[in-house]
Protein backbone atom coordinates (compact mmCIF):
# COMPACT_ATOMS: atom_id res chain seq x y z
CA UNK A 1 0.00 0.00 0.00
CA UNK A 2 2.83 2.44 0.86
CA UNK A 3 4.42 1.75 -2.51
CA UNK A 4 1.14 2.36 -4.25
CA UNK A 5 0.59 5.73 -2.60
CA UNK A 6 4.17 6.69 -3.22
CA UNK A 7 3.91 5.81 -6.89
CA UNK A 8 0.72 7.87 -7.19
CA UNK A 9 2.44 10.86 -5.62
CA UNK A 10 5.35 10.53 -8.01
CA UNK A 11 3.02 10.31 -11.01
CA UNK A 12 1.18 13.42 -9.89
CA UNK A 13 4.41 15.32 -9.35
CA UNK A 14 5.51 14.29 -12.80
CA UNK A 15 2.52 16.04 -14.43
CA UNK A 16 3.20 19.42 -16.09
CA UNK A 17 2.45 22.45 -13.93
CA UNK A 18 -0.28 23.76 -16.32
CA UNK A 19 -2.25 20.53 -15.81
CA UNK A 20 -2.20 21.06 -12.06
CA UNK A 21 -3.33 24.65 -12.53
CA UNK A 22 -6.20 23.57 -14.80
CA UNK A 23 -7.31 20.93 -12.28
CA UNK A 24 -7.24 23.51 -9.49
CA UNK A 25 -9.23 25.97 -11.61
CA UNK A 26 -11.85 23.32 -12.39
CA UNK A 27 -12.08 22.37 -8.73
CA UNK A 28 -12.41 26.00 -7.72
CA UNK A 29 -15.15 26.55 -10.35
CA UNK A 30 -17.22 23.58 -9.13
CA UNK A 31 -16.62 24.59 -5.54
CA UNK A 32 -17.82 28.14 -6.27
CA UNK A 33 -20.92 26.84 -8.08
CA UNK A 34 -21.76 24.53 -5.21
CA UNK A 35 -21.27 27.34 -2.72
CA UNK A 36 -23.47 29.65 -4.81
CA UNK A 37 -26.22 27.03 -5.07
CA UNK A 38 -26.05 26.43 -1.34
CA UNK A 39 -26.27 30.15 -0.67
CA UNK A 40 -29.26 30.50 -2.96
CA UNK A 41 -30.89 27.56 -1.23
CA UNK A 42 -30.34 29.25 2.10
CA UNK A 43 -31.88 32.45 0.74
CA UNK A 44 -34.84 30.43 -0.53
CA UNK A 45 -35.81 28.97 2.79
CA UNK A 46 -34.29 31.31 5.33
CA UNK A 47 -35.49 34.90 5.15
CA UNK A 48 -34.09 36.78 8.10
CA UNK A 49 -36.21 39.91 7.67
CA UNK A 50 -39.29 39.93 9.86
CA UNK A 51 -41.24 41.92 7.26
CA UNK A 52 -40.77 42.73 3.59
CA UNK A 53 -40.16 46.33 2.58
CA UNK A 54 -43.79 47.34 2.12
CA UNK A 55 -46.17 50.19 2.93
CA UNK A 56 -48.50 48.04 5.00
CA UNK A 57 -50.82 50.95 5.89
CA UNK A 58 -51.84 51.38 2.24
CA UNK A 59 -52.19 47.75 1.26
CA UNK A 60 -55.00 47.29 -1.27
CA UNK A 61 -56.23 44.24 -3.19
CA UNK A 62 -53.81 44.45 -6.11
CA UNK A 63 -50.97 42.25 -7.26
CA UNK A 64 -47.74 42.71 -5.31
CA UNK A 65 -45.71 39.56 -6.03
CA UNK A 66 -44.16 37.90 -3.00
CA UNK A 67 -40.72 36.26 -3.29
CA UNK A 68 -41.54 32.70 -4.24
CA UNK A 69 -44.10 30.51 -5.93
CA UNK A 70 -44.57 26.75 -5.97
CA UNK A 71 -44.60 24.91 -9.30
CA UNK A 72 -45.74 21.33 -9.84
CA UNK A 73 -46.67 19.86 -13.23
CA UNK A 74 -49.04 17.04 -14.07
CA UNK A 75 -48.54 14.54 -16.90
CA UNK A 76 -51.26 13.12 -19.15
CA UNK A 77 -51.69 10.13 -16.84
CA UNK A 78 -52.85 12.42 -14.05
CA UNK A 79 -49.73 12.05 -11.92
CA UNK A 80 -48.21 15.20 -10.48
CA UNK A 81 -44.44 15.42 -10.40
CA UNK A 82 -42.55 16.55 -7.33
CA UNK A 83 -42.95 20.30 -7.16
CA UNK A 84 -40.50 22.89 -5.99
CA UNK A 85 -40.28 26.51 -4.94
CA UNK A 86 -38.90 29.02 -7.40
CA UNK A 87 -38.62 32.76 -7.63
CA UNK A 88 -41.85 34.46 -8.70
CA UNK A 89 -41.70 34.99 -12.45
CA UNK A 90 -43.18 34.21 -15.84
CA UNK A 91 -44.03 30.65 -16.82
CA UNK A 92 -43.79 28.94 -20.20
CA UNK A 93 -47.12 28.39 -21.90
CA UNK A 94 -47.93 26.57 -25.13
CA UNK A 95 -49.74 28.69 -27.74
CA UNK A 96 -52.33 25.91 -27.95
CA UNK A 97 -53.34 26.58 -24.33
CA UNK A 98 -55.69 29.27 -25.64
CA UNK A 99 -58.36 31.23 -23.80
CA UNK A 100 -60.37 32.81 -26.60
CA UNK A 101 -59.77 30.88 -29.81
CA UNK A 102 -61.14 30.68 -33.32
CA UNK A 103 -60.40 27.97 -35.86
CA UNK A 104 -59.64 29.06 -39.43
CA UNK A 105 -58.99 26.26 -41.90
CA UNK A 106 -56.66 26.84 -44.83
CA UNK A 107 -56.91 24.47 -47.78
CA UNK A 108 -54.67 23.81 -50.77
CA UNK A 109 -56.22 24.43 -54.17
CA UNK A 110 -55.61 22.00 -57.03
CA UNK A 111 -53.11 24.35 -58.70
CA UNK A 112 -51.13 24.76 -55.48
CA UNK A 113 -52.64 28.04 -54.33
CA UNK A 114 -53.44 28.49 -50.64
CA UNK A 115 -57.04 29.46 -49.92
CA UNK A 116 -58.64 30.88 -46.78
CA UNK A 117 -62.36 30.45 -46.12
CA UNK A 118 -64.19 33.56 -44.86
CA UNK A 119 -61.40 34.91 -42.63
CA UNK A 120 -63.17 38.27 -42.27
CA UNK A 121 -66.17 36.55 -40.66
CA UNK A 122 -63.87 34.81 -38.21
CA UNK A 123 -62.39 38.19 -37.36
CA UNK A 124 -65.82 39.70 -36.66
CA UNK A 125 -66.75 36.73 -34.50
CA UNK A 126 -63.61 37.22 -32.42
CA UNK A 127 -64.56 40.86 -31.92
CA UNK A 128 -68.04 39.88 -30.70
CA UNK A 129 -66.63 37.26 -28.36
CA UNK A 130 -63.95 39.60 -27.04
CA UNK A 131 -66.57 42.24 -26.31
CA UNK A 132 -68.57 39.72 -24.24
CA UNK A 133 -65.41 38.76 -22.29
CA UNK A 134 -64.39 42.43 -21.89
CA UNK A 135 -61.25 41.99 -23.94
CA UNK A 136 -59.81 44.19 -26.70
CA UNK A 137 -59.48 42.53 -30.10
CA UNK A 138 -57.58 43.10 -33.34
CA UNK A 139 -59.30 44.91 -36.18
CA UNK A 140 -60.62 42.85 -39.08
CA UNK A 141 -57.65 43.90 -41.22
CA UNK A 142 -55.13 43.02 -38.48
CA UNK A 143 -56.79 39.63 -37.94
CA UNK A 144 -56.91 38.73 -41.63
CA UNK A 145 -53.36 39.91 -42.26
CA UNK A 146 -52.06 37.82 -39.35
CA UNK A 147 -53.88 34.72 -40.65
CA UNK A 148 -52.53 35.29 -44.18
CA UNK A 149 -48.95 35.66 -42.95
CA UNK A 150 -49.23 32.52 -40.82
CA UNK A 151 -50.70 30.49 -43.68
CA UNK A 152 -48.00 31.55 -46.15
CA UNK A 153 -45.17 31.02 -43.67
CA UNK A 154 -46.43 27.47 -43.05
CA UNK A 155 -47.34 26.70 -46.66
CA UNK A 156 -45.31 23.47 -46.76
CA UNK A 157 -47.54 22.07 -44.00
CA UNK A 158 -50.72 22.38 -46.08
CA UNK A 159 -51.68 18.73 -46.85
CA UNK A 160 -52.06 17.59 -50.48
CA UNK A 161 -55.55 17.86 -51.92
CA UNK A 162 -57.94 15.44 -50.19
CA UNK A 163 -55.48 14.62 -47.39
CA UNK A 164 -56.62 17.18 -44.83
CA UNK A 165 -56.15 20.88 -44.16
CA UNK A 166 -53.87 23.31 -42.42
CA UNK A 167 -55.83 24.26 -39.32
CA UNK A 168 -54.98 27.84 -38.43
CA UNK A 169 -55.99 28.92 -34.95
CA UNK A 170 -56.02 32.57 -33.96
CA UNK A 171 -56.33 33.09 -30.22
CA UNK A 172 -56.57 35.96 -27.79
CA UNK A 173 -55.53 35.70 -24.16
CA UNK A 174 -54.99 37.93 -21.16
CA UNK A 175 -51.27 37.86 -20.33
CA UNK A 176 -50.87 40.82 -17.99
CA UNK A 177 -50.63 40.38 -14.20
CA UNK A 178 -53.86 40.76 -12.23
CA UNK A 179 -54.99 39.41 -8.84
CA UNK A 180 -58.55 40.59 -8.37
CA UNK A 181 -61.59 39.95 -10.53
CA UNK A 182 -61.21 42.25 -13.51
CA UNK A 183 -59.79 42.63 -17.02
CA UNK A 184 -56.11 41.89 -17.53
CA UNK A 185 -53.82 44.90 -18.06
CA UNK A 186 -52.29 43.26 -21.13
CA UNK A 187 -53.44 40.91 -23.89
CA UNK A 188 -51.68 38.82 -26.51
CA UNK A 189 -53.00 37.81 -29.94
CA UNK A 190 -51.40 34.68 -31.42
CA UNK A 191 -51.95 32.76 -34.64
CA UNK A 192 -50.50 29.26 -35.02
CA UNK A 193 -51.06 26.39 -37.42
CA UNK A 194 -51.21 22.60 -37.49
CA UNK A 195 -51.92 20.15 -40.34
CA UNK A 196 -54.99 18.05 -39.46
CA UNK A 197 -57.09 15.24 -40.81
CA UNK A 198 -60.67 14.41 -39.84
CA UNK A 199 -61.86 15.70 -36.46
CA UNK A 200 -63.73 12.51 -35.60
CA UNK A 201 -62.00 9.15 -35.58
CA UNK A 202 -64.82 7.87 -37.78
CA UNK A 203 -63.46 10.07 -40.57
CA UNK A 204 -66.31 10.77 -42.98
CA UNK A 205 -68.33 7.85 -41.61
CA UNK A 206 -71.61 8.56 -39.83
CA UNK A 207 -71.47 9.59 -36.15
CA UNK A 208 -73.20 8.00 -33.19
CA UNK A 209 -74.47 10.67 -30.81
CA UNK A 210 -75.81 10.55 -27.25
CA UNK A 211 -78.32 13.05 -25.87
CA UNK A 212 -77.03 14.35 -22.54
CA UNK A 213 -79.59 15.05 -19.80
CA UNK A 214 -77.48 15.42 -16.67
CA UNK A 215 -74.89 18.01 -17.67
CA UNK A 216 -75.64 21.34 -19.33
CA UNK A 217 -73.23 22.92 -21.79
CA UNK A 218 -74.38 26.53 -21.38
CA UNK A 219 -77.04 28.66 -19.68
CA UNK A 220 -78.93 31.80 -20.73
CA UNK A 221 -76.92 34.90 -19.95
CA UNK A 222 -73.66 32.97 -19.85
CA UNK A 223 -70.88 32.64 -22.41
CA UNK A 224 -72.21 29.72 -24.45
CA UNK A 225 -72.27 31.88 -27.55
CA UNK A 226 -68.60 32.80 -27.19
CA UNK A 227 -65.86 30.65 -28.67
CA UNK A 228 -63.70 30.52 -25.54
CA UNK A 229 -62.45 27.90 -23.13
CA UNK A 230 -65.49 28.68 -20.96
CA UNK A 231 -67.55 27.17 -23.79
CA UNK A 232 -65.65 23.90 -23.97
CA UNK A 233 -64.58 23.09 -20.41
CA UNK A 234 -68.15 22.19 -19.27
CA UNK A 235 -68.50 19.50 -21.97
CA UNK A 236 -65.44 17.44 -21.09
CA UNK A 237 -66.97 15.25 -18.38
CA UNK A 238 -70.07 14.35 -20.38
CA UNK A 239 -68.02 13.84 -23.55
CA UNK A 240 -65.56 11.55 -21.79
CA UNK A 241 -68.39 9.44 -20.41
CA UNK A 242 -70.11 9.21 -23.80
CA UNK A 243 -66.92 8.17 -25.58
CA UNK A 244 -66.28 5.47 -22.97
CA UNK A 245 -69.67 4.03 -23.95
CA UNK A 246 -68.76 4.02 -27.65
CA UNK A 247 -70.45 7.24 -28.80
CA UNK A 248 -68.78 9.79 -31.09
CA UNK A 249 -70.07 12.91 -29.36
CA UNK A 250 -72.78 14.38 -27.15
CA UNK A 251 -75.88 16.38 -28.05
CA UNK A 252 -76.72 18.89 -25.32
CA UNK A 253 -80.17 20.10 -24.33
CA UNK A 254 -81.16 23.51 -23.02
CA UNK A 255 -80.32 24.02 -19.35
CA UNK A 256 -83.81 25.25 -18.37
CA UNK A 257 -86.39 22.79 -19.70
CA UNK A 258 -84.02 20.03 -20.84
CA UNK A 259 -86.19 19.49 -23.91
CA UNK A 260 -84.68 21.64 -26.66
CA UNK A 261 -81.59 20.85 -28.68
CA UNK A 262 -78.56 23.13 -28.40
CA UNK A 263 -75.44 21.73 -30.11
CA UNK A 264 -72.78 19.04 -29.83
CA UNK A 265 -69.52 19.42 -27.92
CA UNK A 266 -67.69 21.25 -30.71
CA UNK A 267 -70.15 21.67 -33.58
CA UNK A 268 -73.60 22.90 -34.55
CA UNK A 269 -76.40 20.50 -35.43
CA UNK A 270 -79.02 20.38 -38.22
CA UNK A 271 -82.21 18.32 -38.44
CA UNK A 272 -83.73 17.36 -41.81
CA UNK A 273 -87.40 16.48 -42.34
CA UNK A 274 -88.45 16.37 -45.97
CA UNK A 275 -87.40 19.67 -47.59
CA UNK A 276 -87.18 21.48 -44.25
CA UNK A 277 -83.83 21.85 -42.49
CA UNK A 278 -84.03 23.07 -38.89
CA UNK A 279 -81.23 24.23 -36.63
CA UNK A 280 -81.31 25.64 -33.07
CA UNK A 281 -81.51 29.43 -33.03
CA UNK A 282 -78.50 31.32 -31.70
CA UNK A 283 -79.92 32.93 -28.56
CA UNK A 284 -76.71 33.42 -26.62
CA UNK A 285 -76.11 29.79 -25.65
CA UNK A 286 -75.14 28.50 -29.12
CA UNK A 287 -72.08 29.34 -31.18
CA UNK A 288 -72.76 31.15 -34.44
CA UNK A 289 -70.49 28.94 -36.52
CA UNK A 290 -69.07 30.19 -39.82
CA UNK A 291 -69.59 26.74 -41.36
CA UNK A 292 -73.13 26.73 -39.94
CA UNK A 293 -73.89 30.07 -41.60
CA UNK A 294 -72.38 28.93 -44.91
CA UNK A 295 -74.29 25.63 -45.00
CA UNK A 296 -77.56 27.44 -44.28
CA UNK A 297 -76.96 29.71 -47.29
CA UNK A 298 -75.98 26.80 -49.56
CA UNK A 299 -79.08 24.86 -48.48
CA UNK A 300 -81.29 27.86 -49.26
CA UNK A 301 -79.71 28.12 -52.73
CA UNK A 302 -80.60 24.47 -53.34
CA UNK A 303 -84.27 25.01 -52.57
CA UNK A 304 -84.43 23.79 -48.99
CA UNK A 305 -86.39 25.72 -46.39
CA UNK A 306 -83.94 26.55 -43.61
CA UNK A 307 -85.48 27.36 -40.22
CA UNK A 308 -83.73 28.67 -37.11
CA UNK A 309 -85.88 27.86 -34.09
CA UNK A 310 -86.11 26.01 -30.81
CA UNK A 311 -85.77 22.37 -31.92
CA UNK A 312 -87.54 19.96 -29.56
CA UNK A 313 -85.72 16.71 -28.88
CA UNK A 314 -88.77 14.79 -30.13
CA UNK A 315 -88.29 16.41 -33.56
CA UNK A 316 -84.75 15.10 -33.64
CA UNK A 317 -85.90 11.59 -32.89
CA UNK A 318 -88.44 11.81 -35.75
CA UNK A 319 -86.09 13.34 -38.34
CA UNK A 320 -85.03 11.88 -41.69
CA UNK A 321 -81.46 13.11 -41.34
CA UNK A 322 -79.20 14.81 -38.79
CA UNK A 323 -75.80 16.31 -39.49
CA UNK A 324 -73.22 18.48 -37.71
CA UNK A 325 -71.14 21.42 -38.92
CA UNK A 326 -68.00 23.18 -37.72
CA UNK A 327 -64.61 24.48 -38.85
CA UNK A 328 -62.82 21.33 -37.71
CA UNK A 329 -65.75 18.98 -38.30
CA UNK A 330 -66.77 20.27 -41.74
CA UNK A 331 -70.17 18.74 -42.55
CA UNK A 332 -70.48 15.38 -40.76
CA UNK A 333 -73.42 12.95 -41.12
CA UNK A 334 -75.08 11.47 -38.05
CA UNK A 335 -75.92 7.78 -38.25
CA UNK A 336 -77.63 7.26 -34.91
CA UNK A 337 -78.84 9.21 -31.87
CA UNK A 338 -79.55 7.61 -28.51
CA UNK A 339 -81.97 9.35 -26.13
CA UNK A 340 -83.40 7.79 -22.96
CA UNK A 341 -82.38 4.31 -24.07
CA UNK A 342 -84.08 4.80 -27.45
CA UNK A 343 -81.80 4.56 -30.49
CA UNK A 344 -82.82 6.04 -33.85
CA UNK A 345 -81.04 5.55 -37.18
CA UNK A 346 -80.89 8.22 -39.89
CA UNK A 347 -80.39 8.36 -43.63
CA UNK A 348 -76.77 8.73 -44.79
CA UNK A 349 -74.85 8.14 -47.98
CA UNK A 350 -74.11 9.83 -51.29
CA UNK A 351 -77.74 10.84 -51.93
CA UNK A 352 -78.26 12.35 -48.50
CA UNK A 353 -78.90 16.07 -47.97
CA UNK A 354 -75.78 16.18 -45.81
CA UNK A 355 -73.54 14.86 -48.58
CA UNK A 356 -74.99 17.22 -51.18
CA UNK A 357 -74.35 20.25 -48.98
CA UNK A 358 -70.91 19.00 -48.01
CA UNK A 359 -69.88 18.55 -51.65
CA UNK A 360 -70.75 22.15 -52.48
CA UNK A 361 -69.05 23.56 -49.40
CA UNK A 362 -65.82 21.60 -49.85
CA UNK A 363 -65.86 22.40 -53.56
CA UNK A 364 -65.96 26.12 -52.81
CA UNK A 365 -63.27 25.82 -50.11
CA UNK A 366 -60.89 23.98 -52.43
CA UNK A 367 -61.60 25.95 -55.60
CA UNK A 368 -63.30 23.08 -57.44
CA UNK A 369 -66.66 24.88 -57.37
CA UNK A 370 -66.90 28.48 -58.54
CA UNK A 371 -67.02 30.88 -55.62
CA UNK A 372 -69.83 33.27 -56.57
CA UNK A 373 -70.20 34.52 -52.97
CA UNK A 374 -66.75 35.90 -52.32
CA UNK A 375 -66.11 33.49 -49.47
CA UNK A 376 -62.64 32.36 -50.50
CA UNK A 377 -59.46 34.43 -50.28
CA UNK A 378 -56.44 33.33 -52.32
CA UNK A 379 -53.22 34.45 -50.61
CA UNK A 380 -50.47 33.38 -53.05
Amino acid sequence: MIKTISSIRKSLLALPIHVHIRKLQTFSKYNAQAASALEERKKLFYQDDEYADMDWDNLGFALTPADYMYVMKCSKDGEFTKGELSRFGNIQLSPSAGVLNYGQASLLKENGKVLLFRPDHNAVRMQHGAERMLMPSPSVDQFVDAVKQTALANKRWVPPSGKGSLYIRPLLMGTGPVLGLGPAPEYTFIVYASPVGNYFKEGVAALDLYVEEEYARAAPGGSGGVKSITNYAPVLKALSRAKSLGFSDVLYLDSVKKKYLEEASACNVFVVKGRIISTPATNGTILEGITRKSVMEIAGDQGYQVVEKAVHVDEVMDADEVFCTGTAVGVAPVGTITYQDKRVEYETGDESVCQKLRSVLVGIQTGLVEDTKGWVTCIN
Side-chain angles (χ1 to χ4, degrees):
M1 179 63 71
I2 293 175
K3 284 184 177 181
T4 304
I5 294 174
S6 177
S7 62
I8 292 173
R9 285 176 177 172
K10 288 180 181 180
S11 63
L12 288 173
L13 290 173
L15 291 172
I17 187 67
H18 70 274
V19 175
H20 287 286
I21 293 173
R22 188 161 58 247
K23 287 181 177 292
L24 287 172
Q25 288 175 337
T26 301
F27 177 76
S28 298
K29 177 183 176 182
Y30 289 147
N31 194 39
Q33 289 176 344
S36 176
L38 181 61
E39 187 63 27
E40 185 62 29
R41 197 70 176 171
K42 285 181 179 179
K43 288 180 181 179
L44 184 62
F45 293 105
Y46 301 102
Q47 297 293 330
D48 295 330
D49 297 337
E50 184 177 2
Y51 292 108
D53 184 12
M54 184 73 189
D55 183 4
W56 301 107
D57 293 328
N58 294 298
L59 187 64
F61 198 83
L63 181 63
T64 302
D67 294 325
Y68 301 99
M69 63 183 186
Y70 188 89
V71 180
M72 181 168 62
K73 294 188 176 182
C74 177
S75 58
K76 291 182 179 180
D77 59 10
E79 294 294 326
F80 278 90
T81 59
K82 183 180 179 181
E84 62 180 16
L85 288 168
S86 63
R87 284 283 184 179
F88 180 92
N90 295 337
I91 61 172
Q92 289 187 329
L93 185 67
S94 169
S96 59
V99 175
L100 189 64
N101 57 77
Y102 291 79
Q104 168 69 56
S106 172
L107 299 170
L108 188 63
K109 194 176 179 181
E110 289 296 320
N111 61 6
K113 292 185 178 180
V114 179
L115 305 178
L116 294 175
F117 186 70
R118 309 190 81 172
D120 52 334
H121 284 253
N122 280 274
V124 172
R125 186 171 64 170
M126 172 171 276
Q127 290 181 335
H128 289 165
E131 182 183 8
R132 173 62 180 85
M133 305 300 283
L134 205 59
M135 303 169 75
S137 62
S139 67
V140 172
D141 288 342
Q142 288 174 322
F143 182 102
V144 174
D145 180 64
V147 170
K148 286 181 178 179
Q149 289 192 49
T150 305
L152 282 176
N154 295 288
K155 183 177 178 180
R156 74 189 188 97
W157 290 98
V158 180
S161 180
K163 301 294 184 180
S165 65
L166 182 67
Y167 191 80
I168 299 177
R169 174 162 286 176
L171 65 92
L172 179 66
M173 65 174 73
T175 50
V178 61
L179 184 63
L181 181 60
E186 178 187 274
Y187 295 86
T188 301
F189 175 66
I190 299 173
V191 183
Y192 68 93
S194 172
V196 296
N198 291 306
Y199 180 80
F200 290 107
K201 67 178 182 179
E202 291 86 351
V204 295
L207 307 176
D208 297 309
L209 304 183
Y210 173 81
V211 178
E212 175 61 43
E213 294 184 90
E214 180 181 0
Y215 297 108
R217 178 191 149 271
S223 57
V226 176
K227 195 170 177 65
S228 73
I229 194 62
T230 58
N231 194 325
Y232 297 104
V235 311
L236 297 179
K237 193 172 184 66
L239 180 60
S240 176
R241 181 173 63 182
K243 286 188 173 183
S244 70
L245 296 174
F247 295 99
S248 309
D249 204 345
V250 174
L251 280 178
Y252 294 90
L253 301 176
D254 71 288
S255 61
V256 179
K257 296 183 178 180
K258 298 284 188 179
K259 289 295 180 183
Y260 294 95
L261 203 63
E262 295 254 295
E263 62 178 52
S265 299
C267 47
N268 297 114
V269 62
F270 288 81
V271 177
V272 182
K273 187 69 175 179
R275 299 290 297 179
I276 300 176
I277 302 177
S278 303
T279 189
T282 55
N283 53 10
T285 61
I286 298 172
L287 286 172
E288 298 187 29
I290 306 302
T291 308
R292 171 186 180 273
K293 182 190 301 185
S294 304
V295 165
M296 289 172 62
E297 192 167 333
I298 292 171
D301 292 343
Q302 294 191 357
Y304 293 97
Q305 181 183 351
V306 183
V307 182
E308 292 183 85
K309 65 171 188 173
V311 181
H312 197 282
V313 66
D314 289 345
E315 293 182 59
V316 180
M317 304 305 285
D318 187 47
D320 299 329
E321 282 186 49
V322 177
F323 60 89
C324 298
T325 65
T327 302
V329 173
V331 183
V334 174
T336 70
I337 292 180
T338 299
Y339 172 57
Q340 294 182 342
D341 297 326
K342 181 181 179 181
R343 185 172 182 267
V344 175
E345 295 185 2
Y346 302 95
E347 297 175 13
T348 60
D350 293 340
E351 298 303 315
S352 66
V353 175
C354 170
Q355 182 57 37
K356 292 175 182 177
L357 298 178
R358 179 181 182 277
S359 295
V360 175
L361 178 68
V362 174
I364 295 174
Q365 290 176 329
T366 55
L368 297 178
V369 172
E370 183 183 1
D371 176 24
T372 59
K373 302 176 180 295
W375 287 351
V376 174
T377 300
C378 179
I379 61 174
N380 289 66

